[in-house]
Amino acid sequence: MFANPRNAAAGSLRQLDPQITAERKLSLWAYTWGEVSEQMWQTQEEFFAKLEQWGFPINPLNKVCHSVAEIEQNFNHIMEVRSSLTYDIDGVVYKVNDINLQERLGFLTRTPRWAVAHKFPAEQALTRVQNIRIQVGRTGALTPVADLEPVNIGGVMVAHATLHNEDEIKRKDIRIGDMVVVQRAGDVIPQIVEVKLSERPADSQPFAFPTICPECGAHAVREENQAIRRCSGGLTCPAQVKERIKHFVSKEAFDIVGFGDKVVEEFCRDGILHDPADIFTLEERNQKVEALDLFSVAQNDGLRLEEREGWGTLSVKRMFKAIRERKKMALNRFIFALGIPLIGTTTALLLAKNFISFDALQKEMTAKDMTKLLSIDGIGKEMAMELEAFFAEEHNLNIIKKLRTYVQVEEYIQDEEVTTVLSDKTIVFTGTLEHMTRFEAKALAQKCGAKVAGSVSAHTDYVVVGADAGSKAKKAEELGVKMLSEEEFVQLTQKA
Ligand SMILES: [Zn+2]
């Protein structure tokens, strides 16, 4: 028995034995392509026609719509026929039909700008809150979670729901023992919609949110105007250390192969890891051999990871090799790995491009002057505050120092093939451009190795002036910064 069709399909495909997969009677609707040597279609519609011609099954509900009204009509139609379909769906995906337009729109970090999912309204069920637990996250945020009497919602057993934060519990007055309406929509974590007050037990008490971290006992503080209460234990709080290390070794950070969540949990639990830097001393600590006495009898006082349950000589060797391979690290990955709140992969790359070396970044962050940071297009005030707070914390600086004794953080290098006259130049755009959107212009400049800033300063090399330019053009004139027309800018991007 499977909990739902998604798990059944995914589980079947993950089987190591293809025979078992073959027995599962999976079927598919083809809907997209991966790599193609020659693209023989200009639109999504033509692509579906090709698929059909080649014998792939395509969904008969695919439809080209020409207006928002038609899209809405189609959505309602699919919602009506949903229950009569022989498969489970949770919504509709809209795609831009024209492939050229798709390419022009491009991607955000993970998601395309030319496709969007429209989910059906959430499914709900009634159940009881058995307990309210407090989880401590990687950044120290105390997050309340409701343990529920397990209930089936749209084919999925739900036993937990997020309560978001302190205010949310207070606002909805959710208490242990309450009957509540729970809903889930798509893959999002189930939520409590409302409390059935008529069924509240007579002896029920409002939930008292803890002011002490349940993991380490440090004070949990709530800053003014902040919804979240955070443990102040920093890197000494076991919950934060564990989550920080998991983040540190994750795919987009240090990407240490074979160092999954389970390994981190095990090593933290047994006191082998206390901070991310400890990863790089594992091999040395494992081999530690101490001479006992005059007879030079050696005693192995190391960690003996090979002798641990579930480990062997080979897997330990492999892990050490994977760690050794990460003793040189790209600047952007290193920044992301630190787990600074709000600093994701895109922002980390932006910082790497603008500061080139970690020393330069750290110097700027500890300078108590955020002017340069805030002049970077894409860095907002909240991000700047998080960065400043992170680098103001002594614990964090110590960990960085320790890490850098083992890890060489490489300077950021622009792609070699794109050395142009604009490489390393700082450009500011102002006014309306005629032949491209502001976004396209920025992308073009960045492709040529230029940095794009949001405001004009003495660091600015060029200001590209479009129609109806305002104060930025004036400022450039005052500072004597070279101004370019859109045409001149395009010409520069073509010069090697
Ligand atoms: Zn704590």
Side-chain angles (χ1 to χ4, degrees):
M1 285 295 281
F2 294 100
N4 59 53
R6 187 193 291 272
N7 288 1
S12 301
L13 290 172
R14 258 190 238 115
Q15 292 295 320
L16 293 173
D17 181 357
Q19 291 292 338
I20 299 177
T21 309
E23 283 163 18
R24 293 281 168 90
K25 296 194 173 73
L26 296 177
S27 57
L28 70 93
W29 298 121
Y31 67 95
T32 193
W33 64 93
E35 291 281 328
V36 286
S37 54
E38 187 193 345
Q39 193 174 298
M40 301 151 84
W41 48 87
Q42 294 302 313
T43 63
Q44 196 75 34
E45 191 182 12
E46 282 173 35
F47 171 65
F48 281 134
K50 284 276 180 215
L51 276 179
E52 199 169 23
Q53 195 186 324
W54 290 327
F56 285 100
I58 61 161
N59 195 316
L61 290 169
N62 289 334
K63 186 174 189 293
V64 181
C65 295
H66 299 90
S67 66
V68 173
E70 212 179 318
I71 282 175
E72 280 173 1
Q73 211 178 354
N74 195 48
F75 179 80
N76 291 332
H77 169 68
I78 292 177
M79 199 148 58
E80 272 169 34
V81 299
R82 180 185 183 189
S83 58
S84 65
L85 298 174
T86 54
Y87 46 90
D88 198 17
I89 56 173
D90 62 359
V92 176
V93 172
Y94 307 132
K95 291 184 180 179
V96 171
N97 196 26
D98 187 325
I99 309 292
N100 281 329
L101 286 180
Q102 286 189 3
E103 275 165 14
R104 228 179 129 192
L105 284 162
F107 279 77
L108 292 168
T109 307
R110 283 167 202 278
T111 51
R113 278 202 189 79
W114 44 267
V116 63
H118 189 178
K119 301 264 180 176
F120 296 131
E123 293 176 282
Q124 300 186 333
L126 199 66
T127 190
R128 192 177 297 281
V129 177
Q130 290 177 323
N131 190 19
I132 296 176
R133 259 183 307 129
I134 306 292
Q135 286 181 338
V136 186
R138 175 169 59 85
T139 57
L142 269 57
T143 313
V145 177
D147 288 333
L148 306 168
E149 230 160 68
V151 61
N152 188 319
I153 310 179
V156 172
M157 287 308 284
V158 171
H160 312 285
T162 174
L163 296 170
H164 300 290
N165 56 48
E166 203 171 340
D167 293 344
E168 178 84 355
I169 299 179
K170 211 174 270 173
R171 192 170 63 79
K172 292 180 179 165
D173 189 20
I174 298 163
R175 304 178 182 188
I176 297 169
D178 274 347
M179 284 303 282
V180 290
V181 176
V182 182
Q183 77 172 24
R184 64 171 272 272
D187 286 337
V188 300
I189 307 162
Q191 300 171 318
I192 291 178
V193 185
E194 58 171 347
V195 175
K196 289 279 169 210
L197 287 175
S198 56
E199 297 186 44
R200 171 168 281 172
D203 59 349
S204 121
Q205 294 289 324
F207 181 72
F209 204 92
T211 52
I212 296 282
C213 170
E215 291 281 340
C216 74
H219 287 283
V221 247
R222 196 171 159 181
E223 306 271 333
E224 213 175 318
N225 300 325
Q226 292 275 317
I228 293 161
R229 193 175 278 278
R230 278 178 208 280
C231 162
S232 60
L235 284 162
T236 54
C237 174
Q240 294 182 63
V241 168
K242 207 161 64 186
E243 294 309 311
R244 261 176 215 226
I245 297 176
K246 280 185 195 170
H247 173 80
F248 186 86
V249 296
S250 66
K251 193 125 193 93
E252 283 160 314
F254 265 66
D255 189 24
I256 299 178
V257 182
F259 217 100
D261 287 0
K262 275 187 193 155
V263 177
V264 177
E265 300 261 355
E266 182 188 333
F267 286 5
C268 285
R269 184 196 62 207
D270 297 347
I272 296 171
L273 292 182
H274 299 98
D275 62 56
D278 282 347
I279 294 169
F280 297 95
T281 59
L282 272 176
E283 188 167 9
E284 193 191 322
R285 285 187 284 149
N286 198 48
Q287 284 167 344
K288 192 177 162 200
V289 174
E290 266 179 25
L292 246 197
D293 52 32
L294 294 167
F295 305 105
S296 71
V297 178
Q299 179 189 310
N300 188 344
D301 195 28
L303 295 171
R304 303 181 203 211
L305 294 179
E306 294 86 350
E307 293 166 24
R308 295 179 76 86
E309 210 189 309
W311 291 83
T313 315
L314 198 67
S315 53
V316 170
K317 231 182 202 168
R318 248 190 239 136
M319 179 179 72
F320 289 154
K321 184 167 173 278
I323 294 170
R324 260 183 267 126
E325 281 169 359
R326 294 294 181 264
K327 291 205 165 182
K328 263 189 186 175
M329 188 46 59
L331 177 58
N332 56 313
R333 279 175 170 261
F334 187 80
I335 297 169
F336 175 68
L338 296 175
I340 306 165
L342 300 183
I343 310 302
T345 50
T346 309
T347 313
L349 185 60
L350 204 57
L351 290 168
K353 276 182 181 168
N354 278 278
F355 290 98
I356 309 294
S357 75
F358 193 82
D359 285 329
L361 173 75
Q362 183 161 347
K363 197 174 157 211
E364 191 71 27
M365 294 307 127
T366 46
K368 306 269 174 233
D369 175 16
M370 294 282 119
T371 333
K372 176 156 189 216
L373 189 61
L374 285 168
S375 76
I376 301 170
D377 195 34
I379 304 277
K381 203 174 162 205
E382 287 181 349
M383 285 180 188
M385 278 164 71
E386 290 289 358
L387 282 162
E388 196 178 32
F390 181 87
F391 282 93
E393 175 65 49
E394 189 90 23
H395 288 296
N396 296 333
L397 296 181
N398 287 338
I399 292 287
I400 289 170
K401 202 172 158 195
K402 197 170 155 196
L403 265 173
R404 292 183 72 195
T405 61
Y406 308 114
V407 179
Q408 185 196 337
V409 185
E410 293 174 320
E411 291 197 349
Y412 180 79
I413 306 164
Q414 300 281 1
D415 293 341
E416 280 172 36
E417 61 219 287
V418 292
T419 327
T420 66
V421 287
L422 291 178
S423 292
D424 292 327
K425 296 283 190 268
T426 303
I427 299 183
V428 173
F429 290 95
T430 179
T432 313
L433 301 176
E434 202 180 331
H435 297 289
M436 56 184 109
T437 64
R438 181 71 72 82
F439 184 81
E440 286 172 305
K442 279 181 189 172
L444 180 60
Q446 279 161 349
K447 212 171 138 191
C448 295
K451 287 173 260 182
V452 178
S455 60
V456 180
S457 73
H459 300 289
T460 313
D461 293 295
Y462 297 111
V463 174
V464 179
V465 185
D468 303 320
S471 59
K472 287 182 197 174
K474 218 172 181 183
K475 181 111 187 260
E477 211 170 346
E478 281 166 21
L479 290 171
V481 177
K482 184 152 177 54
M483 293 198 267
L484 301 172
S485 68
E486 181 178 347
E487 214 165 30
E488 286 169 321
F489 164 66
V490 172
Q491 276 167 6
L492 283 185
T493 63
Q494 287 155 355
K495 264 191 211 164

